[in-house]
Amino acid sequence: MAPGIDPWTPRLLTNNKVPPEMLSIASIMASPSVHAIEPSQLLHYLPTYRVLICLRCNYAIQPGAVARHLKEIHHLHHLSRRPFVDYASGFKLSQPSDVVLPDGTQFPVPLLPVQNGLACSFAGCAHLCVTAKRMKQHWMSVHHISSSDLGGFWDPVPLQTFFRGNALRYFTNPALLISSSSDKSGGLTNTTSTTPVSSDNRESSPYQTLITSDAGLLDHYRNYTYKTLSCGPETDDVFRIIVPQLAHQFPFLLHGILSCSSLHLASIDPQNRPYYTIRSIQHADQAAPAFRWATINVDSNNSQAVLAFAFFLVVYALGSESNDQPLFLSKDNSQEDAPSLEWIEILRNGCSMLCPVWTELTTSPLAPFTALWRDDLGVPTNPNDPLLITLLSIIPEYRSELTGYYIYRDSAVKLAQAFAFIERCGSPPTIWDVLNSWPMRVSPEYLALLKHNDPGALLLLAHYAILLQPLREEWFLKGRAMELIDEIAQRLKGNCSPQIWEVFSVMQREHFPSDPI
Ligand SMILES: [Zn+2]
Ligand SMILES: [Zn+2]
């Protein structure tokens, strides 16, 4: 270690490409409040059905099971659960067996995913399930027809369910099923006396109409998507009202909104996923040039639109299936400017560009957004933090190379702070907390190490993925953290010291078991 250099102080290295004052926007922001998720951001009541939907899990929680759900699925501590349980107790909830299913005009129920399923076509049966194997079992046990005699005695239908587990009960659009004589049902239970209509009509979307207009996409955003991005009452109105208003003046922002709305639809309407995915890419492509131009010409006029666009950029980068790169990693590390990190760099640079107008933004209608990117996490570095001790234990790797040593150490300290910050939030973190707590704060030198597959840099990123885990059910993040860990494992294997491999493997076993129960 060079004399006089305090390893605990983040170093500003000499080859910074971005001026240090622009490294993060944090120094300019000072919002002391810890924004945690409000109960209304996690739990959404559907009065028509008297069910409470968990917006992270996309299914309804059984009455009386809210506390257990929060504990077992979202790992909320006892005290943090209290406000959610209180909030839930304010709603009248139906027992799963009493929930009235949607009629033909109500299907699909918003917020619930739509699955490709099958409806039994035996007259009067209308049994629903999701696999041909299950349907064959159904025919054997109920209609006493063996699978060898079977040939398409079922029809494809879109399915939803309010509940999972023992209360799982599929339903479809009743308009896809037509009444038939109940006499034919013989000894069968008199559930629904219906049979599917001919398969000609089955090509239609499970959503009443495929949303083909920009106005329709904007409506979907204002009704549903905004809620999945917002993180509390303070940002609800900004996402839902102010941002769309701003988008009238700034077409790149409108395209950003429409791109995310399409991507959201692609995630909940599998039948039309290809269509919505393409729409999403088209809107993202239309937004990009004007947004780039705006970021290098930021002024009081366009600063709010630039700030707002950053949120849609992130969601698009995370959720786009066209992005086959693992999060934060590039496929081809030989390229100096590998594209996969582009979004995080655009975000970092975009925020830096806003520096001159930041104070103005903190008093603008978008002030709640500026609070999400605050600099000071307000958590001191604890040198006895077990995570930090573990991460620093591999530091002998860097003895020979001083620059790498400081970059690694600085990033590890910041990562430990990010963990402390997220833990202090108590409630499930938002994606904005998780991004602001670390990727926005590491040095450009760290990102450069990452691009070159530096084992220490990869080890830190793997630990960062733990913070993404509570968000794994968000529609724009499904499967991404696990995918990242698999990719890091591949890159580290055989290319790092035994110590690094050991620390990585322990972390992987604990947080990313390959066979989650
Ligand atoms: Zn949940
Ligand atoms: Zn049947």
Side-chain angles (χ1 to χ4, degrees):
M1 189 196 304
I5 296 179
D6 170 14
W8 296 101
T9 309
R11 311 303 307 171
L12 293 170
L13 295 141
T14 49
N15 57 341
N16 277 345
K17 281 180 226 143
V18 183
E21 68 274 12
M22 285 193 169
L23 277 182
S24 97
I25 50 176
S27 52
I28 310 167
M29 320 176 216
S31 167
S33 75
V34 174
H35 52 92
I37 276 198
E38 294 290 324
S40 65
Q41 298 308 121
L42 186 68
L43 306 172
H44 186 84
Y45 184 63
L46 296 179
T48 314
Y49 310 101
R50 293 186 172 173
V51 294
L52 197 59
I53 307 280
C54 174
L55 294 174
R56 287 275 162 83
C57 301
N58 301 110
Y59 59 81
I61 307 173
Q62 295 196 34
V66 174
R68 197 179 68 221
H69 181 93
L70 295 168
K71 180 175 179 224
E72 291 175 5
I73 309 289
H74 301 296
H75 309 293
L76 275 192
H77 298 299
H78 179 69
L79 280 176
S80 325
R81 293 200 294 268
R82 197 71 250 167
F84 292 86
V85 174
D86 288 347
Y87 177 77
S89 68
F91 299 108
K92 176 140 180 52
L93 300 180
S94 291
Q95 289 301 323
S97 55
D98 299 334
V99 173
V100 177
L101 299 179
D103 64 25
T105 63
Q106 294 165 322
F107 188 90
V109 175
L111 305 174
L112 299 177
V114 179
Q115 292 173 262
N116 293 318
L118 304 169
C120 175
S121 53
F122 191 89
C125 178
H127 172 80
L128 302 170
C129 64
V130 286
T131 63
K133 190 179 162 201
R134 283 282 169 88
M135 187 55 88
K136 285 175 184 171
Q137 286 168 357
H138 162 80
W139 273 81
M140 290 272 272
S141 61
V142 178
H143 308 306
H144 309 295
I145 296 176
S146 83
S147 59
S148 56
D149 304 326
L150 288 177
F153 291 129
W154 57 79
D155 293 283
V157 288
L159 295 182
Q160 291 189 297
T161 173
F162 283 107
F163 301 92
R164 300 282 166 94
N166 57 9
L168 182 136
R169 177 167 59 134
Y170 289 117
F171 56 86
T172 185
N173 184 348
L176 294 176
L177 307 164
I178 56 165
S179 293
S180 76
S181 161
S182 55
D183 299 342
K184 289 184 190 165
S185 60
L188 300 174
T189 51
N190 58 342
T191 48
T192 336
S193 289
T194 53
T195 191
V197 293
S198 77
S199 52
D200 308 352
N201 300 352
R202 220 56 48 58
E203 294 304 310
S204 60
S205 159
Y207 278 71
Q208 281 301 299
T209 45
L210 181 71
I211 299 177
T212 54
S213 70
D214 287 351
L217 291 175
L218 189 59
D219 274 349
H220 179 81
Y221 167 81
R222 275 196 287 234
N223 290 328
Y224 304 112
T225 311
Y226 90 90
K227 198 148 194 159
T228 66
L229 312 181
S230 179
C231 39
E234 7 17 297
T235 56
D236 271 359
D237 285 351
V238 187
F239 271 113
R240 188 172 60 90
I241 300 168
I242 298 173
V243 168
Q245 279 171 355
L246 206 54
H248 287 307
Q249 296 168 52
F250 296 94
F252 70 84
L253 182 56
L254 181 63
H255 286 303
I257 294 172
L258 300 181
S259 173
C260 281
S261 179
S262 304
L263 205 54
H264 185 215
L265 280 161
S267 77
I268 56 180
D269 184 359
Q271 287 200 335
N272 292 308
R273 178 167 296 156
Y275 169 80
Y276 285 126
T277 302
I278 289 169
R279 287 295 297 274
S280 173
I281 295 169
Q282 286 169 339
H283 281 297
D285 285 348
Q286 281 177 280
F291 173 68
R292 286 221 176 81
W293 188 89
T295 54
I296 48 175
N297 296 281
V298 166
D299 56 23
S300 308
N301 177 44
N302 66 10
S303 59
Q304 292 182 40
V306 169
L307 176 62
F309 185 83
F311 291 87
F312 301 103
L313 174 75
V314 170
V315 171
Y316 180 79
L318 295 176
S320 176
E321 283 188 26
S322 67
N323 182 2
D324 58 352
Q325 316 252 19
L327 285 178
F328 305 107
L329 291 175
S330 46
K331 272 256 181 332
D332 180 2
N333 60 298
S334 61
Q335 293 173 346
E336 189 56 37
D337 285 312
S340 65
L341 282 169
E342 201 183 350
W343 69 273
I344 196 82
E345 284 177 353
I346 291 175
L347 188 62
R348 288 162 59 103
N349 290 339
C351 285
S352 311
M353 300 304 167
L354 288 172
C355 274
V357 288
W358 197 260
T359 313
E360 239 175 277
L361 284 170
T362 59
T363 55
S364 75
L366 265 66
F369 278 3
T370 63
L372 300 178
W373 299 114
R374 67 195 172 288
D375 181 27
D376 187 7
L377 297 182
V379 283
T381 302
N382 171 12
N384 298 318
D385 185 328
L387 172 67
L388 187 57
I389 290 170
T390 304
L391 293 176
L392 295 186
S393 70
I394 64 117
I395 260 191
E397 298 303 306
Y398 282 106
R399 229 171 234 157
S400 56
E401 209 245 297
L402 204 58
T403 314
Y405 167 87
Y406 283 113
I407 299 167
Y408 177 84
R409 182 155 204 152
D410 170 49
S411 307
V413 167
K414 285 175 174 162
L415 187 58
Q417 287 173 339
F419 272 83
F421 171 72
I422 297 294
E423 192 181 323
R424 203 189 56 187
C425 286
S427 308
T430 68
I431 184 65
W432 317 117
D433 286 329
V434 174
L435 286 176
N436 186 46
S437 67
W438 195 65
M440 293 291 283
R441 307 161 67 78
V442 290
S443 64
E445 290 74 18
Y446 167 78
L447 294 179
L449 285 182
L450 195 56
K451 272 184 190 170
H452 292 97
N453 284 332
D454 173 84
L458 287 169
L459 182 72
L460 293 182
L461 182 61
H463 281 80
Y464 172 69
I466 298 171
L467 294 180
L468 293 168
Q469 274 296 73
L471 299 162
R472 64 186 175 277
E473 293 302 323
E474 296 284 1
W475 64 269
F476 47 80
L477 218 55
K478 279 205 169 118
R480 301 289 264 154
M482 198 61 162
E483 191 184 280
L484 176 63
I485 291 297
D486 290 345
E487 181 69 25
I488 292 175
Q490 269 184 31
R491 293 186 188 198
L492 283 180
K493 197 154 199 171
N495 295 316
C496 67
S497 67
Q499 293 96 314
I500 289 186
W501 184 251
E502 175 61 17
V503 172
F504 173 78
S505 304
V506 168
M507 187 286 303
Q508 187 183 26
R509 274 197 301 275
E510 186 177 343
H511 296 278
F512 299 92
S514 47
D515 267 322
I517 303 152

